[in-house]
Amino acid sequence: MQVVLAQPRGFCAGVVRAIDIVERALERHGAPIYVRHEIVHNEHVVESLRAKGARFVEDLAEVPAGALTIFSAHGVSQSVEAEARRRDLRVVDATCPLVAKVHSEGKRYVAQGRTVILIGHAGHAEVEGTLGQIPGHTHLVSSVDDVEALPLAPDTPLAYVTQTTLSVDDTRSIIQALKCRFVDVLGPETKDICYATQNRQAAVRDLAKVADLILVVGSANSSNSNRLREIGEELGVPSYLVPDEGAIDPAWLAGRSVVGVTAGASAPEVLVDGVIAALRRLGPIELSTLPGIVEDVQFRLPETLA
């Protein structure tokens, strides 16, 4: 059996930065430190950091007054920031710089007098944070039908921003629907779309050209990992999301000669290694990696931890 790895796959620069922030905070300040929400959406990463002394909470009320608190890579609302100040919490912000850029763009559009449309998935931590960062009323849309249902006049000055775990391909039809229905629409340039999301989705499309089965390493609550699996399915290749090697069903492999493997932006490479080892235990494999983009993006740590 041939096993072909996608390139790129796994951790992006924002995830690396967020994890580094938690680990450095533990080294410098000792346990416990508190993290609002999962630092990234991967259960293995979260459990590893929990074992080192990180405590993950969904509500700042669970954090003792004055305690060191880290905001997750997904970002938080202004109301959460205000509560942290009110409770005198020592905060280190691990918000991905690309998410923070979306917040800034949204605020800039509001200052221009525009109504902001956020393209994203309701309930996702990043979307909740973005909605809470942009002042005024922001409309969330997830589909072309949502655009048609917007209670706005055609001449309303609009601007759109997007959830970073969506790619250019994911948002194209919604953006087109906005431009068809409204006469004055602005939005960020394509280069502002999250590079990691776009690169990993392009890599899966390449993988689908050669594989007859795709395994996506990632957690069930990871938006970008789920989207990678969906793309494989859309291209006609049976695709499965696996949190780790233990989730692989040998029956999936029956009659398959080329298995493609990739990983979401919050999945560590050690989990990919585990999947490869599990496939080897089922029989001999030939391992190769597709040519693809080699990412060299790095984000600086906050000054307090650098």
Side-chain angles (χ1 to χ4, degrees):
M1 183 170 63
Q2 295 182 51
V3 176
V4 182
L5 302 178
Q7 174 65 34
R9 64 184 179 277
F11 278 178
C12 64
V15 165
V16 170
R17 176 180 181 270
I19 295 170
D20 283 350
I21 285 173
V22 177
E23 292 183 334
R24 288 213 184 189
L26 285 165
E27 291 170 3
R28 293 200 177 186
H29 301 282
I33 63 167
Y34 295 82
V35 183
R36 187 189 180 277
H37 194 64
E38 294 184 353
I39 189 67
V40 297
H41 283 159
N42 186 273
E43 59 205 71
H44 292 276
V45 170
V46 168
E47 287 306 314
S48 173
L49 294 173
R50 183 177 281 124
K52 296 176 181 179
R55 296 184 181 176
F56 296 89
V57 301
E58 292 300 321
D59 191 329
L60 291 186
E62 302 173 56
V63 181
L68 182 65
T69 307
I70 296 175
F71 293 156
S72 79
H74 312 96
V76 300
S77 66
Q78 290 187 10
S79 63
V80 171
E81 294 174 338
E83 183 182 358
R85 290 192 296 270
R86 181 181 61 79
R87 300 196 60 238
D88 198 27
L89 301 179
R90 294 177 292 150
V91 171
V92 179
D93 191 355
T95 300
C96 173
L98 296 179
V99 174
K101 186 176 184 180
V102 171
H103 296 171
S104 297
E105 287 170 342
K107 293 172 184 175
R108 176 165 53 85
Y109 289 136
V110 169
Q112 295 172 0
R114 294 183 174 274
T115 297
V116 175
I117 307 297
L118 171 58
I119 303 171
H121 300 306
H124 189 276
E126 180 188 330
V127 167
E128 294 300 315
T130 300
L131 289 172
Q133 280 288 338
I134 302 174
H137 184 57
T138 300
H139 297 268
L140 175 65
V141 298
S142 303
S143 66
V144 171
D145 288 343
D146 290 343
V147 172
E148 296 304 317
L150 286 170
L152 301 170
D155 60 350
T156 304
L158 295 185
Y160 63 84
V161 294
T162 69
Q163 180 180 336
T164 63
T165 50
L166 302 180
S167 71
V168 174
D169 296 328
D170 294 330
T171 59
R172 183 177 290 114
S173 62
I174 296 176
I175 292 170
Q176 185 59 38
L178 285 169
K179 291 180 176 179
C180 285
R181 185 177 166 199
F182 300 96
V183 297
D184 184 3
V185 181
L186 292 182
E189 297 180 23
T190 301
K191 64 182 177 63
D192 286 347
I193 294 288
C194 174
Y195 77 95
T197 298
Q198 191 67 30
N199 290 349
R200 278 152 190 72
Q201 292 190 12
V204 164
R205 294 183 188 281
D206 290 339
L207 199 59
K209 296 174 183 176
V210 299
D212 49 18
L213 175 76
I214 293 177
L215 300 177
V216 178
V217 182
S219 294
N221 63 338
S222 167
S223 174
N224 75 88
S225 299
N226 276 285
R227 184 64 187 128
L228 295 179
R229 184 202 63 77
E230 290 171 358
I231 289 172
E233 290 283 354
E234 289 168 3
L235 294 172
V237 181
S239 302
Y240 300 92
L241 182 67
V242 292
D244 51 43
E245 61 188 272
I248 298 173
D249 184 346
W252 298 342
L253 306 173
R256 308 294 179 186
S257 59
V258 183
V259 176
V261 179
T262 190
S266 52
E269 186 68 9
V270 66
L271 298 180
V272 175
D273 294 340
V275 166
I276 295 169
L279 294 175
R280 277 204 175 99
R281 289 194 293 271
L282 296 173
I285 68 171
E286 295 179 7
L287 183 64
S288 63
T289 301
L290 286 179
I293 295 172
V294 178
E295 296 171 344
D296 58 2
V297 178
Q298 294 183 332
F299 293 136
R300 288 181 295 179
L301 294 176
E303 289 185 7
T304 54
L305 294 176

